[in-house]
Amino acid sequence: MALLDGLAARLREIVGAESVITDPAELATYDCDGLTYHRATPGVVVLPDTTEQIAAIVRACAGAGVPYVARGSGTGLSGGALPRTDGVLIVTSRMRRVLEVDAANQRAVVEPGVINLDVTRAARPYGYYFAPDPSSQQVCSIGGNVAENSGGAHCLKYGFTVNHVLACEVVTPDGEIVELTEGPGYDLLGAFVGSEGTLGITTKVTVRLTRLPESVRTLLAGFDSMERAGAAVSAIIADGVVPAAIEMMDALSIEAAEAAVSCGYPPGAGAVLIVELDGPAPEVDVQFERVKELCAEAFELRVAADDVERGLIWRGRKSAFAAVGRISPDYIVQDGVIPRTTLPQVLARIDAISREHGVRVANVFHAGDGNLHPLVLFDGAEAGAGERAEEVSGRILDLCIEHGGSITGEHGVGIDKARHMPRMFTGEDLDTMQMVRCAFDPAGLCNPGKIYPTPRLCGEAPGRRKGVHPLVGSGKADLF
Ligand SMILES: Cc1cc2nc3c(=O)[nH]c(=O)nc-3n(C[C@H](O)[C@H](O)[C@H](O)COP(=O)(O)OP(=O)(O)OC[C@H]3O[C@@H](n4cnc5c(N)ncnc54)[C@H](O)[C@@H]3O)c2cc1C
């Protein structure tokens, strides 16, 4: 495509020829993120080293009217970093410097491509860590965490990424470099965190550091059923204990984790709970005894004696998504939220949907905050299997909405759940959100096609709808 060829030449001037990829074989490396079911080969990939280069790239794209998508490590599970065949993929993986650890002020300043766990590695010698801990923390980037407002097992107590970001340097869609901070006026930083790469590209992030806890106690409880494990979760929360994490896995996900990492979870368990408490030692000790009492229905309770045993307990859970690859060639990692109290009904319905469609579903949860991760298993080589899995996945999201929950807890909407947005929000709600987007990106070039079902029908201006589009009115087109 001549337009992209011309743009690639300009990008080479900005970042150097070795940092622009146009070779089809190399481009294929970037054709999907963690949502592998959706693929698109990017038109051009560019690997900048600096904020100024990103600003120049964005200006070049804006000048040429070419869409672009930011990508960190590509581990996103909702297709947020799915490239455009007619666009540029801006990959931040070369921007991996921890620029400053300011322990006295409990903050660190990092480039967007820095790996989540590397922030903790840099802060630990000072007695601090970065609290948001997605299970992908060994590989995912801070830029991706900011864009998705990522969570993790310990976000029940410590909050999501948004609670740990103090400022973002951002390249806006017109190529300006701005600083979004907490402070008086509109909370633009709050709007930016979780905007899934649609409001600009973050090039530097100031994160909050959290003091390492004095004491951490972890237990693994094996239950014979999900119902019993779920009842223990409700009892713990009702008792007023706020664990750092409560994670639950069902029999199928235990089987997968066992096959992948031999985590040695209680054999024959219908469900396992991992409960972790942290904080001052005397408080943790008292609460830990109480949690053990509340898990009385467990047929096996294991308490981690040291960090090695703690690591072993967490290994099965942290590897759960990837582990499913051991028991199924393909799978969709779904992410929905329900009120904790509805867990038994929702699980029973997921089971019924799974049987009805003949599609296996493994369940892993951040049980404390009702964040489900159903893993919908299928074999992409089998005709129609992918479509059936998508159908099951969609029905599970409908179930979450029906029970007063949400279509995403932490993985974002991306391309995967855009079609479900109108089931959760009214047309007015969606228009209002799109107006925020238009305020940042009037030309609609920054990660278009994500979050919203159909941006607008062809020929419609961005902004509030002025009435029914003539094509919809005449029955020739549908809005999702
Ligand atoms: C095995 C596994 C386990 C996971 N566990 C969790 C979990 O526990 N909790 C959780 O929340 N998520 C989890 N995830 C999902 C994923 O790791 C997170 O969403 C993560 O934050 C994505 O980071 P990334 O660098 O891979 O981003 P990418 O996938 O590269 O991009 C994600 C989104 O961020 C945008 N983006 C990337 N960089 C920038 C930037 N600099 N500026 C603006 N936008 C940008 C992209 O356009 C895209 O929309 C898991 C994924 C996997 C594969």
Side-chain angles (χ1 to χ4, degrees), residues 121-170:
R121 288 191 182 114
R124 194 176 281 134
Y126 303 91
Y128 291 92
Y129 74 111
F130 182 55
D133 62 337
S135 303
S136 52
Q137 67 185 144
Q138 298 192 21
V139 283
C140 67
S141 76
I142 293 295
N145 294 172
V146 168
E148 299 291 5
N149 187 20
S150 295
H154 292 80
C155 292
L156 172 63
K157 178 169 178 183
Y158 291 99
F160 283 64
T161 300
V162 69
N163 304 112
H164 300 270
V165 172
L166 301 172
C168 280
E169 179 185 80
V170 171

Side-chain angles (χ1 to χ4, degrees), residues 181-190:
T181 55
E182 288 183 319
Y186 294 119
D187 183 9
L188 296 181
L189 179 63

Side-chain angles (χ1 to χ4, degrees), residues 360-443:
R360 291 189 302 163
V361 179
N363 287 293
V364 180
F365 321 97
H366 301 307
D369 46 18
N371 190 178
L372 315 178
H373 288 316
L375 303 156
V376 183
L377 317 190
F378 68 101
D379 180 353
E382 194 188 301
E387 288 73 15
R388 275 202 305 282
E390 285 262 289
E391 166 72 16
V392 165
S393 187
R395 293 224 15 218
I396 293 173
L397 293 182
D398 288 341
L399 207 52
C400 293
I401 299 172
E402 227 175 87
H403 283 81
S406 163
I407 57 172
T408 172
E410 54 183 15
H411 295 171
V413 177
I415 196 124
D416 185 35
K417 298 175 206 177
R419 274 170 21 107
H420 282 79
M421 289 288 274
R423 301 193 191 162
M424 199 169 155
F425 296 103
T426 64
E428 285 281 293
D429 292 338
L430 292 174
D431 281 355
T432 304
M433 289 184 219
Q434 293 229 44
M435 283 161 73
V436 174
R437 182 178 188 165
C438 289
F440 280 80
D441 180 26

Side-chain angles (χ1 to χ4, degrees), residues 456-476:
R456 315 292 296 177
L457 279 177
C458 182
E460 271 190 319
R464 208 173 285 289
R465 288 176 208 276
K466 300 207 168 47
V468 178
H469 190 283
L471 285 176
V472 176
S474 65
K476 291 191 177 129

Side-chain angles (χ1 to χ4, degrees), residues 167-340:
C168 280
E169 179 185 80
V170 171
V171 171
T172 63
D174 54 6
E176 213 186 316
I177 301 169
V178 300
E179 177 90 358
L180 303 181
T181 55
E182 288 183 319
Y186 294 119
D187 183 9
L188 296 181
L189 179 63
F192 188 82
V193 178
S195 60
E196 304 191 25
T198 61
L199 302 185
I201 301 181
T202 186
T203 46
K204 203 193 286 178
V205 186
T206 305
V207 297
R208 186 192 304 285
L209 298 177
T210 303
R211 193 108 187 102
L212 285 165
E214 182 192 347
S215 165
V216 181
R217 308 275 319 263
T218 310
L219 70 74
L220 177 75
F223 292 84
D224 53 21
S225 71
M226 293 288 276
E227 288 71 28
R228 290 206 157 134
V233 172
S234 296
I236 292 167
I237 303 284
D239 205 64
V241 178
V242 182
I246 308 191
E247 299 287 301
M248 187 152 103
M249 292 168 68
D250 73 357
L252 196 51
S253 55
I254 297 169
E255 180 192 328
E258 214 55 72
V261 295
S262 309
C263 45
Y265 285 172
V272 292
L273 270 191
I274 298 173
V275 188
E276 186 157 282
L277 301 183
D278 68 8
E283 178 188 308
V284 169
D285 288 347
V286 170
Q287 292 194 339
F288 199 68
E289 289 312 308
R290 182 69 189 134
V291 167
K292 286 201 295 198
E293 286 166 25
L294 295 167
C295 287
E297 296 239 19
F299 69 82
E300 186 172 335
L301 265 189
R302 273 185 219 165
V303 175
D306 52 32
D307 276 354
V308 175
E309 287 190 17
R310 180 176 170 237
L312 206 60
I313 288 178
W314 275 110
R315 204 160 101 190
R317 168 60 188 94
K318 293 259 176 185
S319 67
F321 294 175
V324 168
R326 292 294 185 112
I327 59 167
S328 174
D330 299 287
Y331 58 96
I332 297 172
V333 180
Q334 204 34 282
D335 165 48
V337 183
I338 51 163
R340 219 173 20 237

